Amino acid sequence: MRKVDFNSSGIKVVGNMFFPDDFDEKRQYPALIFTHPAGGVKEQTSGIYAEKFAKYGYITLAYDASYQGESEGIPIGFENPSSRVGDIHSAVDYFTTVPYIDKNKIGGVGICAGGGYMIKAAQTDHRIKAIVGVSPLDMGLVFREGLNGNDPDAVFGILDQVATARTAEANGAAPIIGKWTPDECDPNTSEEMKNCHDFYKNRAKHPRSTGEYPFINFDRVVEFSSFDEGLAKLFRQPAIIFIGDRAGTAWLAKRAYDLMHVDKKELVIIKDADHFDLYDHKSDEVVEKAVSFLKEVL
């Protein structure tokens, strides 16, 4: 593994690059860019996947999004969909400068929110030749229609809270800090959110992954759309999408998949898995199927 960095709109983005076991700088390799979930860092699920894909002959890069992890940017934890998508374009830029990467064989792997950002980036950046989505979701759609797609009015309460917070902070109040992951679980916590808690607070706990974000950040998130009818025509890449059969977010991945009017696409449903099982527990199964797909298209 090698620590690298690149510029993304004036911000230094820091990543970990992984290499095949038989790596030779005189050769050229296909390469994959990995984007992490909201509130995550490169040492968690994106790094898990990047390391595993490298064993199959790919140069891989898992990086911390701008404002997160080891990357620069203030406020820390800022989840800005525009900069998240911009980071992907910049990562592709960086890959085109690396002599041992085949510039015609660059793919993207996005997990959770990172999957939505990767789909968005690929619509206008056709240097990305193939897409792998792992529990992908559209961050804006989650909050406009509810986590399970059945609460379209919830967004208005969120926007009212954001407006109140912005006014208060503009007048000197301390910033309100939100959390992507609950600190504690109680009897009312769903099994899927308990799994989320276990991933971030136990099995993938990392000091730079606090799960905190500036609450006023939410207005940027709510307005974001990673994939819709108007943008679908721009998406030309082959894609494989993975979802768990017990994932509450499956409807989001299916919606994106249905809008992909491309010749080569697959929707893979992983058995006995929720959204967060694909982060680590089911990663070997995902990698095996994704590598088979990528061998055909990348």
Side-chain angles (χ1 to χ4, degrees):
M1 188 270 285
R2 183 182 303 169
K3 183 73 66 68
V4 300
D5 62 74
F6 57 90
N7 180 285
S8 181
S9 299
I11 290 175
K12 183 172 80 171
V13 170
V14 179
N16 293 334
M17 188 178 287
F18 298 87
F19 302 85
D21 291 337
D22 62 350
F23 174 67
D24 180 353
E25 286 195 5
K26 296 179 181 179
R27 294 174 53 192
Q28 285 198 324
Y29 296 82
L32 298 171
I33 295 165
F34 293 76
T35 52
H36 61 70
V41 292
K42 64 185 180 300
E43 289 82 7
Q44 295 170 328
T45 182
S46 60
I48 290 172
Y49 275 100
E51 187 170 8
K52 290 184 177 183
F53 271 95
K55 296 184 182 301
Y56 287 88
Y58 298 91
I59 302 292
T60 64
L61 172 67
Y63 63 86
D64 289 324
S66 296
Y67 306 98
Q68 300 174 31
E70 287 187 286
S71 294
E72 293 179 343
I74 295 174
I76 296 172
F78 184 30
E79 184 72 16
N80 183 347
S82 178
S83 66
R84 289 292 305 262
V85 173
D87 290 343
I88 296 170
H89 295 309
S90 297
V92 178
D93 291 344
Y94 171 67
F95 265 9
T96 66
T97 71
V98 179
Y100 44 79
I101 287 177
D102 187 333
K103 299 172 183 60
N104 296 311
K105 294 185 177 181
I106 297 174
V109 182
I111 302 101
C112 187
Y117 298 136
M118 187 62 73
I119 289 170
K120 179 76 168 181
Q123 290 162 16
T124 57
D125 197 336
H126 293 173
R127 297 175 301 173
I128 303 171
K129 302 301 184 182
I131 295 294
V132 179
V134 182
S135 294
L137 58 79
D138 181 326
M139 283 288 284
L141 203 55
V142 167
F143 294 104
R144 291 195 299 272
E145 298 192 23
L147 183 61
N148 297 311
N150 58 5
D151 193 5
D153 294 329
V155 66
F156 297 105
I158 294 173
L159 293 176
D160 288 343
Q161 293 175 46
V162 170
T164 299
R166 290 187 72 91
T167 297
E169 292 179 27
N171 285 273
I176 297 174
I177 302 301
K179 291 183 179 293
W180 295 115
T181 307
D183 287 329
E184 303 291 342
C185 295
D186 59 43
N188 295 320
T189 304
S190 70
E191 290 302 314
E192 193 162 33
M193 288 310 297
K194 287 179 181 177
N195 196 13
C196 171
H197 179 274
D198 185 49
F199 178 81
Y200 283 109
K201 303 300 182 181
N202 295 307
R203 62 186 194 265
K205 185 176 181 179
H206 192 278
R208 286 192 291 272
S209 177
T210 64
E212 296 182 345
Y213 63 90
F215 180 70
I216 60 173
N217 185 173
F218 251 111
D219 56 356
R220 305 286 184 91
V221 173
V222 167
E223 69 184 6
F224 176 74
S225 288
S226 70
F227 212 79
D228 57 37
E229 289 282 3
L231 295 170
K233 65 180 181 180
L234 300 178
F235 188 89
R236 298 293 180 87
Q237 295 90 331
I240 185 167
I241 305 296
F242 294 88
I243 58 175
D245 61 352
R246 294 186 281 103
T249 56
W251 68 278
L252 291 151
K254 289 177 180 177
R255 180 176 293 193
Y257 175 82
D258 289 341
L259 287 170
M260 292 176 175
H261 302 302
V262 295
D263 294 333
K264 184 67 174 178
K265 66 176 183 177
E266 290 185 27
L267 178 65
V268 180
I269 299 175
I270 304 297
K271 293 182 179 180
D272 301 317
D274 65 21
H275 180 95
F276 301 97
D277 285 318
L278 270 59
Y279 283 21
D280 55 351
H281 288 153
K282 298 289 186 174
S283 58
D284 286 339
E285 185 174 350
V286 170
V287 170
E288 182 179 349
K289 293 181 183 297
V291 166
S292 178
F293 178 87
L294 289 172
K295 283 181 178 179
E296 296 182 29
V297 301
L298 191 64

